[in-house]
């Protein structure tokens, strides 16, 4: 009897549980194919990670099956069409839980209203519990965000539907702003999102988009004003790791280092693998002279994201300040290989030459950093100090 139940458990985990996830994701994917013209991708066993997966192409539908079925308790449906109406998004999102519920009702019928083999009934009974769990876990809104493989976040189906219903109430400026944001016309998008906030629609996602837009055009003052307002309204109940990172960055930029470090700490408690928080906290440690702590953060940021140019040049500065100039310069060179237009790499080289007393070379590097990005942190001050050393 023990081995019978062990076998049934194995069948449930390896075969039936994956079927439940697949049905749920197809509930999203099939309507998405019918209602959009673009490609639709389903991930079975991950939140968007194609690695270690078997890929199947069925016309516009592609499915990534994680090779290990024990991971198949999660999944993701991604629509690639650039513009999908809110009503269609709501329908596609709702159909996942509906398919789970339909499967649960079918299983319930066979368990209670048919005369099947006893062991099979036991298996179906637990499978039915699993499918009901899928339905309720997805349809009941949860504020806790779900981190995707690409670093972005989403929510469960119920919360997404609630958010989409909020979108429907927003003025036309919001839709226009989204279009401009997707086209990377951030300055125009920022002004439209700001109008939405000023009209009284002070939703968390509108704040995030507005702050992100102002940051993208390097208007840190407006971003800071909005972030302060965003904090007062949502920090206690709805701040995610990336929100704390943004808040920490703005506080550090305006030299409120202690508060910035507190925000980075909370960001990393929520998501220890947030490479942006690691890099930004490390940069803040550099600014206050805690170079050993900075290197630890940069090491982890690079481990998580080996192509992170800023983490390399920042770690390079930490090493230089600790007397490891040769290793530090190698890091800065690697940063430039990854991003030749990285103004901070040139600024850090300028700091290196400044500390050596080669003010002419330092000024050359600082001017190049300014040319690449006039908003490079404190670059004007560094240029002024260097010119004074050269009596210019």
């Amino acid at each position: 009897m023990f081995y019978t139940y062990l076998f049934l458990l194995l069948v449930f985990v390896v075969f039936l549980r994956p079927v439940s996830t697949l049905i749920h994701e197809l509930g999203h994917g099939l309507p998405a194919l019918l209602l959009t013209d673009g490609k639709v991708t389903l991930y079975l066993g991950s939140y968007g990670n194609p690695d270690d997966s078997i890929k199947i192409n069925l016309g516009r539908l592609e499915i990534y099956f994680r090779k290990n079925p024990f991971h198949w308790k999660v999944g993701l449906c991604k629509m690639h069409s650039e513009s999908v109406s809110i009503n269609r998004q709501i329908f596609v999102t709702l159909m996942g839980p509906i398919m789970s519920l339909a499967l649960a009702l079918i299983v319930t019928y066979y368990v209670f209203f048919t005369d099947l083999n006893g062991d099979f009934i036991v298996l179906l009974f637990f499978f039915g519990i699993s499918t009901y769990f899928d339905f309720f876990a997805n349809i009941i809104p949860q504020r806790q965000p779900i981190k995707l493989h690409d670093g972005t976040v989403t929510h469960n189906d119920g919360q997404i539907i609630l958010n989409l219903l909020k979108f429907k109430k927003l003025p036309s400026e919001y839709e226009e702003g989204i279009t401009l944001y997707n086209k990377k016309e951030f300055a125009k998008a920022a002004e439209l999102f700001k109008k939405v906030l000023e009209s009284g629609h002070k939703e968390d996602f509108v704040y995030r988009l507005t702050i992100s837009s102002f940051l993208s055009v390097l208007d840190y003052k407006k971003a800071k004003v909005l972030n302060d307002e965003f904090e007062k309204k949502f920090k206690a109940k709805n701040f995610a790791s990336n929100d704390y990172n943004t808040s920490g960055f703005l506080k550090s930029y305006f030299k409120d280092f202690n508060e910035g470090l507190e925000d980075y700490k909370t960001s990393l408690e929520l998501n220890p693998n947030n490479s942006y928080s690691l890099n930004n906290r490390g940069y803040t440690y550099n600014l206050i002279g805690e170079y050993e702590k900075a290197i630890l953060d940069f090491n982890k940021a690079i481990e998580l994201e080996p192509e992170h140019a800023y983490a390399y040049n920042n770690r390079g500065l930490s090493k230089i300040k600790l007397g490891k100039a040769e290793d530090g310069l190698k890091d800065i060179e690697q940063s430039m290989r990854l991003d030749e237009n990285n103004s901070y790499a040139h600024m850090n080289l300028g700091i290196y030459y400044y500390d050596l007393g080669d003010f002419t070379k330092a000024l050359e590097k600082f001017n190049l950093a300014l040319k690449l990005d006039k908003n490079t942190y404190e670059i004007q001050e560094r240029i002024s100090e260097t010119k004074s050393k050269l009596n210019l």
Side-chain angles (χ1 to χ4, degrees), residues 186-231:
F186 298 114
K188 294 178 181 178
E191 294 304 324
L192 285 174
F193 291 141
K194 191 166 180 285
K195 284 184 180 179
V196 174
L197 289 172
E198 290 169 349
S199 70
H201 296 277
K202 297 181 180 293
E203 306 288 351
D204 55 356
F205 53 86
V206 182
Y207 275 106
R208 289 187 182 102
L209 284 166
T210 315
I211 294 167
S212 174
S213 298
F214 280 121
L215 285 174
S216 296
V217 295
L218 309 177
D219 192 337
Y220 299 123
K221 288 184 179 179
K222 288 182 180 177
K224 179 68 164 58
V225 170
L226 286 168
N227 187 72
D228 290 345
E229 189 178 318
F230 182 35
E231 267 194 303

Side-chain angles (χ1 to χ4, degrees), residues 137-360:
N138 282 282
I139 201 64
I140 297 174
Q142 297 180 18
R143 287 186 174 273
Q144 181 64 29
I146 299 167
K147 184 178 180 182
L148 303 182
H149 178 67
D150 63 3
T152 60
V153 297
T154 187
H155 291 86
N156 79 330
D157 295 333
Q159 188 64 45
I160 289 173
I161 291 169
L162 274 186
N163 290 342
L164 289 169
L165 289 172
K166 291 178 183 177
F167 295 161
K168 284 178 67 68
K169 299 177 182 179
L170 294 172
S172 60
E173 285 87 354
Y174 179 79
E175 288 282 351
E176 295 171 27
I178 289 292
T179 301
L180 291 167
Y181 189 92
N182 290 334
K183 291 180 178 178
K184 301 187 184 303
E185 296 182 32
F186 298 114
K188 294 178 181 178
E191 294 304 324
L192 285 174
F193 291 141
K194 191 166 180 285
K195 284 184 180 179
V196 174
L197 289 172
E198 290 169 349
S199 70
H201 296 277
K202 297 181 180 293
E203 306 288 351
D204 55 356
F205 53 86
V206 182
Y207 275 106
R208 289 187 182 102
L209 284 166
T210 315
I211 294 167
S212 174
S213 298
F214 280 121
L215 285 174
S216 296
V217 295
L218 309 177
D219 192 337
Y220 299 123
K221 288 184 179 179
K222 288 182 180 177
K224 179 68 164 58
V225 170
L226 286 168
N227 187 72
D228 290 345
E229 189 178 318
F230 182 35
E231 267 194 303
K232 289 178 183 177
K233 288 182 174 294
F234 293 101
K235 190 171 187 177
K237 59 181 180 179
N238 200 26
F239 250 43
S241 177
N242 286 336
D243 297 323
Y244 279 103
N245 172 57
T246 300
S247 181
F249 169 80
L250 287 166
K251 289 171 183 174
S252 297
Y253 185 87
F254 289 101
K255 300 185 179 182
D256 189 355
F257 299 127
N258 289 333
E259 288 294 319
L261 288 172
E262 281 298 313
D263 280 344
Y264 292 135
K265 179 183 176 184
T266 307
S267 172
L268 291 165
E269 286 172 352
L270 293 171
N271 178 12
N273 294 328
N274 190 327
S275 62
Y276 295 100
S277 291
L278 287 164
N279 177 67
N280 289 340
R281 186 173 71 173
Y283 186 79
T284 304
Y285 280 140
N286 270 356
L287 291 175
I288 62 177
E290 297 193 26
Y291 303 114
E292 292 90 350
K293 290 182 179 180
I295 287 177
L296 293 176
D297 279 346
F298 297 138
N299 285 345
K300 187 169 182 182
I302 290 168
E303 179 185 340
L304 292 167
E305 195 174 337
E307 304 298 305
H308 201 319
Y310 286 94
Y312 278 104
N313 71 251
N314 289 331
R315 187 175 70 175
L317 180 62
S318 303
K319 290 178 178 179
I320 288 169
K321 289 293 188 179
L322 290 171
K324 303 173 183 177
E326 186 176 343
D327 284 346
L329 291 172
K330 286 180 181 178
D331 273 349
I332 293 175
E333 289 169 2
Q334 174 64 10
S335 173
M336 289 179 174
R337 281 193 288 270
L338 293 169
D339 180 5
E340 62 183 3
N341 294 319
N342 181 353
S343 65
Y344 284 84
H346 293 284
M347 182 181 72
N348 288 347
L349 276 179
I351 295 171
Y352 166 70
Y353 287 117
Y354 186 95
D355 290 348
L356 287 178
D358 189 345
F359 302 119
T360 300

Side-chain angles (χ1 to χ4, degrees), residues 68-124:
N68 185 347
F70 289 95
H71 290 288
W72 281 32
K73 59 182 180 290
V74 300
L76 177 72
C77 173
K78 182 176 180 181
M79 295 184 286
H80 294 269
S81 293
E82 290 189 4
S83 180
V84 182
S85 72
I86 290 178
N87 285 337
R88 290 187 177 188
Q89 289 182 57
I90 291 172
F91 182 76
V92 168
T93 305
L94 183 60
M95 283 304 296
I98 287 177
M99 287 292 281
S100 292
L101 180 60
L103 180 60
L105 294 172
I106 291 170
V107 171
T108 300
Y109 170 78
Y110 278 101
V111 169
F112 292 103
F113 299 102
T114 62
D115 187 19
L116 296 175
N117 175 276
D119 290 338
F120 191 60
I121 285 290
V122 172
L123 185 63
L124 279 185

